Amino acid sequence: MSIKVETLSGETATLDDDKLEELRMTFRGPLITQQDDEYDAVRVVQNGLIDRRPALIIRCSGTADVIDAVNLAREYGMLAAVRSGGHSVAGHSVRDRSLLIDLSEMRGVWVDPDARLVRVQGGATWGDVDREAQAFGLAVPGGVVSTTGVAGLTLGGGIGWLHRKYGLSCDNLRAIEIVTADGRLLRASESENEDLFWALRGGGGNFGVVTSFDFTAHPVGPTVMCALPIYAENPDKVFRAWSDWTETVPDEVTTRAIFWTIPQDPHMPPEIHGKQVLVTGALYAGPPDEGEKVLQPVRQLGTPLADLSAPMPYRVFQAAFDFFFVKGALASYWKSLFLSGPPSRAADLIVRHGLARTAPESMIHVPLLGGAISRTDPDDTAYADRDATCMLSVDGNWLDHRDSADHIAWVRHVISQADEFSTGRTYLNFDSAAPGEAPDLVQAAFGDNLQRLADVKRRYDPHNLFRLNANVPPARPSTDL
Ligand SMILES: Cc1cc2nc3c(=O)[nH]c(=O)nc-3n(C[C@H](O)[C@H](O)[C@H](O)COP(=O)(O)OP(=O)(O)OC[C@H]3O[C@@H](n4cnc5c(N)ncnc54)[C@H](O)[C@@H]3O)c2cc1C
């Protein structure tokens, strides 16, 4: 049966049976259409709000499949989404009636301990990276949920539990291999295609399909001291005390405050199930006994309801919140802003809304930034906000889809109230705007770097083949004579 795919110009491209048969012979990975039994399982992404039906899914088995998939998209002018970990809260990585270039089977990780180099295939998750790197006592700064894809997170920046000591995920890149819109496999680094390398460190999925990342890894753990005190009383006092503490901590400490409701889940002590809480989590990237002393104050900001703090394997902490983020289960709508000044500057707003979340699964999440992030100049990478002290991420999550409009309205309302505390920038990895929905947001994220990104886009993707993302349209050619 032939399939119909939407094109970049809004028309329809048809692949007939013969063409599909030819493609099945060409690709090593499977081609999946609505006729296949696994179609529904394969099209699922993390965000349960996103229920989309691509026309054709190519599950790439390696770089050759990616090259052929990009060539196919370009030759037919197909609208193509690119997916690795599938965690895009905006749903960028799947689209109705489109081609889906799926790298989620390309999850190889290779570690060179002497060179402290970790090479990661384009579809790997942070859990894959941690598993291999920790065998050598190494880690690459990643995210806080181990099922998140390395690709989307790194291309958009990448904050986690190590960013204050070692920088963003994208700051730790040595090189990238990428298939660009013309089907070429390019290497980008400080000495090869430098313009592309600059753009890929924060500029998102705009420039092609990344098949591998080379990262610098750092000695971490395997045992690290982690603080996880859970407060229920006096949230305003605790939040302000946490904010004061963040002004004293060394770069080894990465910490975040999270307003949340403890889920009814065996991973959490039963006596605190259903409690509305403020969690002030922290990790010390150094010797655990030193960490125990440095993190002690965050456990004494008030009287904790429970304290899950302990020295623990880095990998265990990296996966500590995985149980909550079951693929396809939670509907999510997130928005974020970078804040200036200490977190307490916005305490009234944060605490008020933190306690008035419209769903127990929702969170107000305030990660502390600074440290190594701010030691890179804003124009050294496409990722532009290096001065923010912290982020306000309003993470709407819920289970009953009938209430979606209310939860989305709540997220937008909170963010609209936070302008006066903001640096004016936003973190696109934590934003639910659909492609093209909010050009202002892209401007706000990249600021002065946007024009340079648009120039790079014009060089590598002049027809905007890769547009299902926080899109940077290619710069128009100059008309000056
Ligand atoms: C539960 C959860 C936890 C999160 N935690 C963190 C966190 O701790 N820190 C943080 O910084 N962010 C975090 N995020 C946000 C996350 O960084 C972004 O959603 C990111 O896009 C996810 O990457 P992915 O590969 O899983 O996404 P996908 O949905 O697979 O891809 C998202 C987009 O990235 C691009 N992309 C993906 N793969 C490739 C590729 N191989 N080549 C080129 N472009 C590609 C495409 O534009 C694609 O649309 C989290 C998100 C969720 C849902």
Side-chain angles (χ1 to χ4, degrees), residues 308-481:
L308 309 183
S309 308
M312 64 180 91
Y314 174 73
R315 281 179 62 211
V316 169
F317 199 51
Q318 283 291 91
F321 293 101
D322 287 8
F323 75 90
F324 183 65
F325 292 102
V326 177
K327 188 175 172 182
L330 279 181
S332 294
Y333 186 91
W334 299 1
K335 281 200 165 293
S336 68
L337 281 176
F338 290 116
L339 304 187
S340 57
S344 58
R345 233 184 110 230
D348 286 348
L349 177 96
I350 290 171
V351 176
R352 180 158 34 94
H353 290 294
L355 299 177
R357 293 163 297 113
T358 51
E361 296 82 11
S362 290
M363 299 175 180
I364 287 199
H365 168 206
V366 185
L368 184 71
L369 302 173
I373 295 177
S374 45
R375 286 196 290 276
T376 296
D377 280 343
D379 54 2
D380 279 356
T381 61
Y383 183 94
D385 196 325
R386 298 284 177 173
D387 296 330
T389 45
C390 64
M391 189 194 298
L392 167 62
S393 185
V394 185
D395 304 347
N397 302 307
W398 60 95
L399 292 165
D400 188 341
H401 289 214
R402 286 169 304 182
D403 303 332
S404 295
D406 293 344
H407 302 308
I408 291 171
W410 172 75
V411 173
R412 289 182 171 158
H413 173 68
V414 180
I415 284 291
S416 74
Q417 304 286 297
D419 262 5
E420 64 179 291
F421 308 110
S422 155
T423 63
R425 302 241 187 282
T426 183
Y427 184 46
L428 292 172
N429 272 354
F430 286 171
D431 198 288
S432 286
E437 189 189 307
D440 292 355
L441 211 66
V442 172
Q443 172 71 54
F446 296 118
D448 292 345
N449 285 346
L450 183 59
Q451 182 57 48
R452 190 167 160 194
L453 276 168
D455 291 338
V456 178
K457 177 80 172 177
R458 176 153 65 98
R459 282 198 282 284
Y460 293 94
D461 184 15
H463 303 294
N464 204 3
L465 182 64
F466 301 106
R467 62 178 66 180
L468 298 181
N469 44 44
N471 196 234
V472 175
R476 295 224 177 92
S478 165
T479 50
D480 296 346
L481 291 176

Side-chain angles (χ1 to χ4, degrees), residues 2-60:
S2 67
I3 59 162
K4 297 192 182 309
V5 188
E6 190 177 339
T7 65
L8 299 173
S9 58
E11 289 162 6
T12 301
T14 303
L15 300 179
D16 64 21
D17 277 352
D18 288 347
K19 182 66 188 176
L20 279 171
E21 201 41 48
E22 179 198 319
L23 292 175
R24 288 203 160 91
M25 298 287 290
T26 304
F27 284 91
R28 184 153 166 267
L31 269 58
I32 299 169
T33 70
Q34 306 197 14
Q35 312 306 316
D36 293 300
D37 291 343
E38 64 266 52
Y39 175 77
D40 278 325
V42 173
R43 72 187 174 88
V44 172
V45 289
Q46 177 68 28
N47 186 351
L49 200 59
I50 309 293
D51 177 17
R52 301 202 181 132
R53 307 180 69 80
L56 174 63
I57 304 172
I58 300 179
R59 298 209 96 178
C60 300

Side-chain angles (χ1 to χ4, degrees), residues 229-233 235 238 257-263 268 271-280 304-306 351 354-355 357 360 362-364:
I230 299 175
Y231 297 97
E233 288 171 11
V238 171
I258 305 170
F259 287 86
W260 191 33
T261 300
I262 302 293
M268 288 283 145
E271 62 277 13
I272 63 169
H273 284 180
K275 300 274 189 208
Q276 173 148 270
V277 296
L278 169 55
V279 182
T280 55
L305 178 68
V351 176
L355 299 177
R357 293 163 297 113
S362 290
M363 299 175 180
I364 287 199

